[in-house]
Every structure is written in structure tokens, then in C-alpha cells.
Amino acid sequence: MNKKPIIGISGNFIMDKGGMFPGYKRAYVNDDYVKAVAMAGGIPYIIPIVNDEDLAKEQMSNVDALILSGGYDVNPLIYGEEPKQKLGAILPERDKFDIWLLKEACKMNKPVLGICRGIQLINAAFGGTINQDLSYDENCYIKHFQETSPSTAGHTVEIVEGSRLNSILSSKVTTNSFHHQSLNRVAEGFKIAARTKDGTIEAIEKEGENFVMGIQWHPEMMSSSSPEMLNIFKELIKNVKKV
């Protein structure tokens, strides 16, 4: 019997605001990531944040692919900028951890999918930059942080012809949107795979054969009702190298 691939999902921290342990730190990911991986045919594993590079590398060695999940803003010091007024909350501990996982996954040629914060982390880790708020991008006019249900498609995304993402999705899709930052300068070795009509970058791909893709919207929130969005996770799993 063929073993299903193990898909690691980078974890996050949440702080209790009340209850018995106010301020208590908990490790978690949103359940939609877990459901999407399971529906796509993988075994979902949450990878909790650790402050030890060797341990993070061991964590990565025990999974077959990596999903970098959403969450805090990426620390702008990583991409050589000082924090601007509209920067949101950052968590440097998580930035460091996610970069350890990402670099190790790439070193081991394991497929990577970055979602929302994940695309921004990938871009920053490889030398690109980020608009710390959409208001700093003079071309942005589309509403990128919707106030409707997570599974509702909010705006149009145009997929670049010939991209890997184009082979997964059609040339134009409608997606949800929950971000206040966006990619600015794309990292060397990556190419743009999708944009919105105002030019905001919605997907990037690493050049070459290895599957390293970043997506700005949240396909995991749409995957229960959208076969197209579920196909993104199926493609990640398909690219797991069989040993």
C-alpha cells in the first residue's frame, strides 16, 4: 500500500486573552489548512515553532512538503527596511523559524507552498521586498481585505500564461482576499505567476523544476467548496518526490 505524503504546516502562536490563563501562549494553525491537505490526499502535520535551528531542520526532515501558513507581518528588517507607520504586529521568532524551514525544504528539494504571509516570507527570505501596507502602493485601488465570509470570492486574479499556476488553474479566477501588505520587488530567481487588475502580485513561483510557490489569497479557506482551489494542494502533493 502506498503511503500518503506527510505535509507539514508551519505553526503560529496565539495568546489567550482571558479565561484561566490570560497571556498564555498556544501553538496552532487554522483548521482549514488541515482540512485542505486531508481532502487533497495528504497527511496534515502541524509544525510547532521552536527556537532551535537544528531542531527545525529535523522537523523539516520528517515531512515530505511544506505549507507556510498565514499570520503576522514579516519583520521589515529582514528585507532591509525600517518599520513604517502602518506595519502590523510582527513575530521575529516565527520569521526566523519559517526561514529555517523554508531554506531546509529547498535544500532537500521538497515542495513548498506559501500562503498569504507565506508568499511574503518566501519573497523576503530570498531577497525581495514587501509593501508594508497597501496604501504605500500608489497603484493599488482594489479592496484586498474583504469583510465577507472566508470562502467568498472577492476579486479577480489573472494568471500568467505558461506559469505552473496556469496549469493548475484557468487564466482568470476569483479569489478571497485578506491581506494589508503585498510584494514589492520580487526576489531574484522567482517569477510573477498572477496579479489582480490593479497590478498587485498574487502569486510567485521559483524558477526551475522544484515546486516553490507563493499565493497571496487563501485557497485553504475556499477548498471545501472550490475544486479549483483544492487542486493547488493536490499539485503540491503530486510534486512530493517518491523515494
Side-chain angles (χ1 to χ4, degrees), residues 60-109:
M60 193 61 234
S61 72
N62 281 286
V63 299
D64 299 309
L66 173 65
I67 295 175
L68 292 169
S69 62
Y72 293 88
D73 288 357
V74 175
N75 188 344
L77 295 178
I78 291 173
Y79 48 92
E81 293 184 9
E82 292 297 316
K84 296 182 180 180
Q85 292 289 335
K86 294 183 180 179
L87 178 73
I90 62 170
L91 186 62
E93 183 180 357
R94 186 181 177 195
D95 293 334
K96 183 169 59 175
F97 174 69
D98 280 356
I99 290 172
W100 287 338
L101 292 181
L102 171 62
K103 294 296 181 71
E104 188 67 10
C106 290
K107 180 181 176 182
M108 300 175 76
N109 294 326

Side-chain angles (χ1 to χ4, degrees), residues 148-165:
T148 51
S149 69
S151 62
T152 300
H155 64 52
T156 304
V157 171
E158 297 175 333
I159 315 296
V160 174
E161 185 177 351
S163 65
R164 186 190 290 268
L165 188 61

Side-chain angles (χ1 to χ4, degrees), residues 141-174:
Y141 65 85
I142 289 174
K143 185 178 178 66
H144 288 273
F145 202 103
Q146 66 189 52
E147 297 175 46
T148 51
S149 69
S151 62
T152 300
H155 64 52
T156 304
V157 171
E158 297 175 333
I159 315 296
V160 174
E161 185 177 351
S163 65
R164 186 190 290 268
L165 188 61
N166 185 221
S167 69
I168 304 170
L169 304 175
S170 55
S171 60
K172 185 183 293 185
V173 294
T174 52

